[in-house]
Amino acid sequence: MKIQAAKKFYEKFQLGKVYFISKGTLKVANKQFKSVQNDYELTLNENSKVEEASNEATFITRTKFNFVLIDHLGLYVNSRELVAIIGVVQNVSPTMSIRRKIHNETIPKRDITIADETKKTIVVSLWNDLTTNVRQELLDIFDKSPIVAIKSLKVREFQGVSLSTLRKSVVVINPETPESN
């Protein structure tokens, strides 16, 4: 039942838009099994209705970040907890194709190197759509030392500590946050 709802609504939702949702289930979030810190969770089913609130005066909250310094990422290696980081882009690599063992499919990957306020650097692997969506914008402003904030990153140990985006990762270039100043 949840899989059918996920397929039905996946393409409909877009970051930064507001929606009217009905016939869903709202309950207190069980934070023990979640990688986000929301107080509530909304579950949709195949009978749920979702409409974009395009003609309404709406208030959209900005993406909230809880940044982790690069020095502290070791605490999160192979943890279920996801992290957010912010830093100045030092390098943007070309896109490469990686063949996954599962389903033997090829997916695009691009690495970016960022430095945070501690002057430490880390490689962040961008996967799938983020390789192309983020690439051009970063390349267009690379000479201006862009700042990038990335939310929902998986911390792994691969040739040291590394970060990887997930489907739900959010990348904001030159965010309006106190940390970016």
Side-chain angles (χ1 to χ4, degrees), residues 8-9 12-13 20-24 44-51:
K8 178 178 177 181
F9 297 114
K12 186 159 191 119
F13 288 110
F20 293 112
I21 300 173
S22 61
K23 299 184 181 177
L44 303 180
N45 60 53
E46 64 274 358
N47 298 320
S48 299
K49 301 220 183 297
V50 175
E51 295 177 38

Side-chain angles (χ1 to χ4, degrees), residues 25-31 36-42:
T25 305
L26 182 67
K27 61 183 181 179
V28 175
N30 183 347
K31 294 182 183 184
V36 294
Q37 298 303 312
N38 298 338
D39 293 328
Y40 299 94
E41 63 183 36
L42 178 63

Side-chain angles (χ1 to χ4, degrees), residues 5-163:
K7 287 179 182 177
K8 178 178 177 181
F9 297 114
Y10 180 76
E11 295 295 326
K12 186 159 191 119
F13 288 110
Q14 295 179 2
L15 187 64
K17 293 195 175 186
V18 177
Y19 299 90
F20 293 112
I21 300 173
S22 61
K23 299 184 181 177
T25 305
L26 182 67
K27 61 183 181 179
V28 175
N30 183 347
K31 294 182 183 184
Q32 180 181 358
F33 299 104
K34 301 292 178 198
S35 59
V36 294
Q37 298 303 312
N38 298 338
D39 293 328
Y40 299 94
E41 63 183 36
L42 178 63
T43 305
L44 303 180
N45 60 53
E46 64 274 358
N47 298 320
S48 299
K49 301 220 183 297
V50 175
E51 295 177 38
E52 185 179 344
S54 57
N55 294 330
E56 298 292 321
T58 56
F59 173 74
I60 302 174
T61 59
R62 295 182 188 195
T63 301
K64 293 180 182 176
F65 294 94
N66 186 14
F67 297 117
V68 175
L69 294 173
I70 293 172
D71 267 352
H72 299 155
L73 289 173
L75 302 171
Y76 298 89
V77 171
N78 298 323
S79 156
R80 291 180 61 187
E81 192 170 350
L82 302 177
V83 300
I85 61 164
I86 188 167
V88 178
V89 177
Q90 304 291 304
N91 184 47
V92 180
S93 76
T95 301
M96 55 188 103
S97 294
I98 304 294
R99 183 165 303 279
R100 293 181 68 191
K101 292 177 185 175
I102 301 171
H103 306 300
N104 200 29
E105 65 182 339
T106 302
I107 56 173
K109 175 190 175 209
R110 174 184 310 279
D111 289 336
I112 63 171
T113 304
I114 67 167
D116 70 6
E117 64 188 42
T118 66
K119 309 291 188 252
K120 301 280 184 175
T121 61
I122 191 156
V123 173
V124 180
S125 296
L126 305 175
W127 296 93
N128 296 315
D129 293 343
L130 288 175
T131 61
T132 52
N133 297 349
V134 172
R135 175 189 178 265
Q136 194 56 50
E137 189 173 353
L138 283 177
L139 290 176
D140 288 349
I141 61 172
F142 187 73
D143 59 327
K144 296 178 180 124
S145 300
I147 294 172
V148 66
I150 309 173
K151 183 176 183 174
S152 297
L153 289 164
K154 181 73 177 158
V155 184
R156 294 197 168 93
E157 191 164 9
F158 178 73
Q159 299 173 346
V161 176
S162 64
L163 297 170

